[in-house]
């Protein structure tokens, strides 16, 4: 990857602040829509992926992310699809790592299925990555294969171990699925405690067409919380990340447990984030369809003045909140794009 022309320290620009006074300090970037797994709640078995010409090059991703950093982004998360299957991903991470060195960026992190972590853990650490989210829905090998279709559990566990050994903190994300892994939440808590991982539970979201019916998988986290509260003392804690996660401390173990319930509105008022797809579409809200085509802007000119204007214009359209619902059985998804397009 050639990034000589972006190598210099970016001069700071005016911070991006939306019409509701929320500073945009967190950017999630989907670096590819492709994946080596086919998780049942995320993709159909036979996905059609984007042609290469539509996907941003690594240089284009760097240019866009750097523009956000210049305008006040402090945290950058690479996701997908599976970010670690994108060819050249380490070059991109290493290049973006320069913003950590200058202090412009507080954190560079990834969300990964863990399949490639075994070989990438050390270079990721060297590039400045100190935390990573790994999706792990079950500790049972057969269930793992059933949920991910193409994934294999031992490979992911090796990846998690390698990351930890390299000095990267691993946070586990577990999608709570009715009748699939709801009986494993306590086992996962124990696994997390034993290995020094934080755990966050995610409620399923109605994103994109999949093969099954989402109603069958939908497990409200309010129910999970009630069940856990019968066994443990759950204390609300004030940690806020500007996203849809809420945290409790389990008094008996001292562990922190996160709940991501994107269908509720209780986080929109502090929303600090926007999402960039692999094709350079900027989504101002995960739950709404409005987007801005930043790829068109950067492919039209190498001058970042137009890009800065496009960022201002896009952020001026950031909505106050979303209107997700898991609709009636058999209804179309509330938002047509897959999670692997917008990035989780
Ligand atoms: N491939 C990486 C991974 O699995 O972590 C990154 C992308 S994945 C789309 C990001 C997160 O979204 C994962 O934790 C995944 O479990 C979650 N996810 C995917 N589809 C979802 C859905 N429909 N509802 C809720 N979470 C979903
Ligand atoms: Fe791939 Fe992540 Fe989607 Fe699973 S959740 S299919 S690992 S992108």
């Amino acid at each position: 990857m050639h990034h000589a022309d972006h190598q210099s320290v970016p001069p700071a620009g005016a911070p991006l602040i939306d019409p509701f006074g929320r500073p945009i300090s967190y950017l999630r970037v989907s670096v590819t829509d492709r994946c080596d797994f086919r998780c049942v709640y995320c993709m159909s078995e036979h996905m059609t992926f984007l042609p290469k010409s539509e996907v941003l090059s690594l240089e284009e991703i760097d240019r866009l992310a750097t523009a956000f950093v210049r305008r006040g982004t402090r945290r950058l998360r690479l996701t997908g699809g599976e970010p670690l299957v994108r060819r050249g991903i380490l070059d991109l991470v290493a290049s973006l790592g320069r913003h950590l060195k200058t202090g412009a960026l507080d954190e560079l992190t990834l969300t990964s299925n863990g399949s490639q972590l075994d070989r990438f853990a050390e270079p990721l650490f060297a590039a400045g990555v100190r935390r990573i989210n790994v999706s792990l829905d079950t500790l049972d090998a057969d269930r793992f294969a059933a949920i991910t279709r193409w994934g294999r559990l031992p490979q992911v566990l090796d990846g998690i171990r390698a990351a930890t050994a390299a000095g990267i903190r691993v946070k586990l994300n577990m999608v709570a699925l009715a009748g699939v892994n709801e009986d494993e939440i306590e086992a996962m808590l124990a696994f997390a405690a034993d290995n020094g991982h934080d755990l966050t539970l995610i409620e399923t979201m109605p994103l994109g067409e999949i093969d099954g019916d989402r109603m069958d998988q939908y497990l409200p986290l309010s129910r999970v919380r009630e069940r856990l509260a019968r066994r443990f003392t759950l204390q609300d804690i004030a940690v806020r990340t500007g996203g849809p996660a809420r945290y409790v401390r389990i008094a008996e173990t001292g562990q922190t447990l996160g709940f991501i319930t994107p269908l509720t509105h209780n986080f929109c008022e502090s929303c600090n984030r926007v999402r960039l797809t692999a094709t350079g579409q900027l989504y101002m809200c995960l739950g709404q369809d409005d987007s801005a085509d930043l790829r068109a802007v950067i492919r039209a000119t190498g001058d970042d003045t137009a890009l800065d204007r496009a960022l201002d214009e896009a952020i001026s359209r950031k909505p106050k909140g979303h209107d997700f619902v898991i609709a009636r059985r058999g209804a179309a998804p509330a938002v047509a794009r897959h999670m692997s397009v917008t990035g989780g």
Side-chain angles (χ1 to χ4, degrees):
M1 178 176 176
H2 311 284
H3 42 69
D5 50 343
H6 314 292
Q7 207 48 285
S8 53
V9 179
L16 291 168
I17 297 177
D18 82 0
F20 306 97
R22 298 171 297 192
I24 305 307
S25 57
Y26 184 21
L27 175 69
R28 298 169 83 105
V29 182
S30 174
V31 299
T32 177
D33 62 327
R34 289 162 200 260
C35 188
D36 52 344
F37 290 4
R38 290 289 180 278
C39 302
V40 291
Y41 46 73
C42 180
M43 294 191 181
S44 65
E45 184 133 33
H46 304 286
M47 292 286 290
T48 309
F49 292 112
L50 294 161
K52 202 171 166 215
S53 60
E54 296 210 6
V55 175
L56 296 177
S57 68
L58 297 177
E59 289 79 4
E60 288 172 328
I61 295 173
D62 192 302
R63 181 176 164 200
L64 283 173
T66 297
F68 274 94
V69 170
R70 217 168 42 225
R71 302 293 305 274
T73 286
R74 306 288 316 176
R75 294 173 63 206
L76 203 52
R77 176 177 297 278
L78 307 183
T79 175
E82 174 47 40
L84 297 181
V85 303
R86 172 85 197 245
R87 188 178 307 210
I89 187 68
L90 283 178
D91 297 330
L92 176 66
V93 177
S95 172
L96 292 173
R98 74 190 185 278
H99 299 309
L100 293 167
K101 294 196 187 108
T102 65
L105 200 59
D106 294 329
E107 180 168 60
L108 174 58
T109 184
L110 297 91
T111 300
S112 169
N113 65 23
S115 69
Q116 313 297 314
L117 258 186
D118 197 8
R119 60 192 176 105
F120 283 151
E122 286 183 14
L124 287 174
F125 181 90
V129 174
R130 295 293 176 268
R131 294 199 309 163
I132 189 163
N133 288 2
V134 176
S135 304
L136 183 66
D137 300 334
T138 175
L139 294 165
D140 176 278
D142 293 334
R143 274 187 189 175
F144 189 88
I147 293 171
T148 63
R149 292 197 187 100
W150 296 3
R152 294 299 167 257
L153 180 64
Q155 196 179 338
V156 170
L157 294 179
D158 284 348
I160 292 172
R161 271 190 293 270
T164 307
I168 300 176
R169 269 189 75 85
V170 174
K171 193 188 89 177
L172 302 176
N173 283 336
M174 174 184 191
V175 176
L177 299 161
V180 177
N181 65 357
E182 54 183 315
D183 59 343
E184 266 194 90
I185 289 166
E186 287 181 33
M188 193 67 84
L189 269 171
F191 174 83
D194 290 348
N195 296 284
H197 308 306
D198 285 331
L199 175 65
T200 293
L201 303 176
I202 307 179
E203 201 165 77
T204 51
M205 285 180 264
L207 296 179
E209 289 290 349
I210 53 166
D211 298 327
D213 191 322
R214 292 192 183 281
M215 281 299 288
D216 296 337
Q217 304 169 346
Y218 182 62
L219 174 62
L221 288 186
S222 53
R223 205 154 84 212
V224 173
R225 199 186 152 132
E226 275 164 31
R227 275 186 218 153
L228 284 173
R230 280 181 228 139
R231 296 279 313 264
F232 302 103
T233 313
L234 306 182
Q235 303 162 330
D236 283 310
I237 50 179
V239 182
R240 290 279 187 280
T241 57
R246 288 292 172 267
Y247 297 90
V248 298
R249 179 167 292 110
I250 301 178
E252 287 78 2
T253 63
Q255 251 176 307
T256 300
L257 174 64
F259 293 91
I260 298 188
T261 51
L263 308 186
T264 59
H265 282 92
N266 59 13
F267 61 92
C268 295
E269 74 283 354
S270 60
C271 182
N272 60 358
R273 57 197 57 197
V274 289
R275 293 172 169 81
L276 186 68
T277 70
T279 63
Q281 311 307 302
L282 187 73
Y283 281 89
M284 282 67 82
C285 172
L286 180 61
Q288 297 208 359
D289 276 327
D290 190 33
S291 64
D293 185 358
L294 298 183
R295 183 185 66 191
V297 177
I298 58 168
R299 287 192 179 172
T301 163
D303 172 13
D304 277 352
T305 318
L307 176 56
D308 268 325
R309 268 203 311 275
L311 293 185
D312 286 324
E313 192 279 327
I315 299 308
S316 78
R317 283 192 275 135
K318 186 167 163 64
K320 193 163 181 207
H322 64 68
D323 35 47
F324 264 131
V325 244
I326 289 216
R328 311 180 301 286
R329 214 160 248 280
V335 173
R337 60 188 190 276
H338 284 92
M339 190 72 144
S340 50
V341 174
T342 330

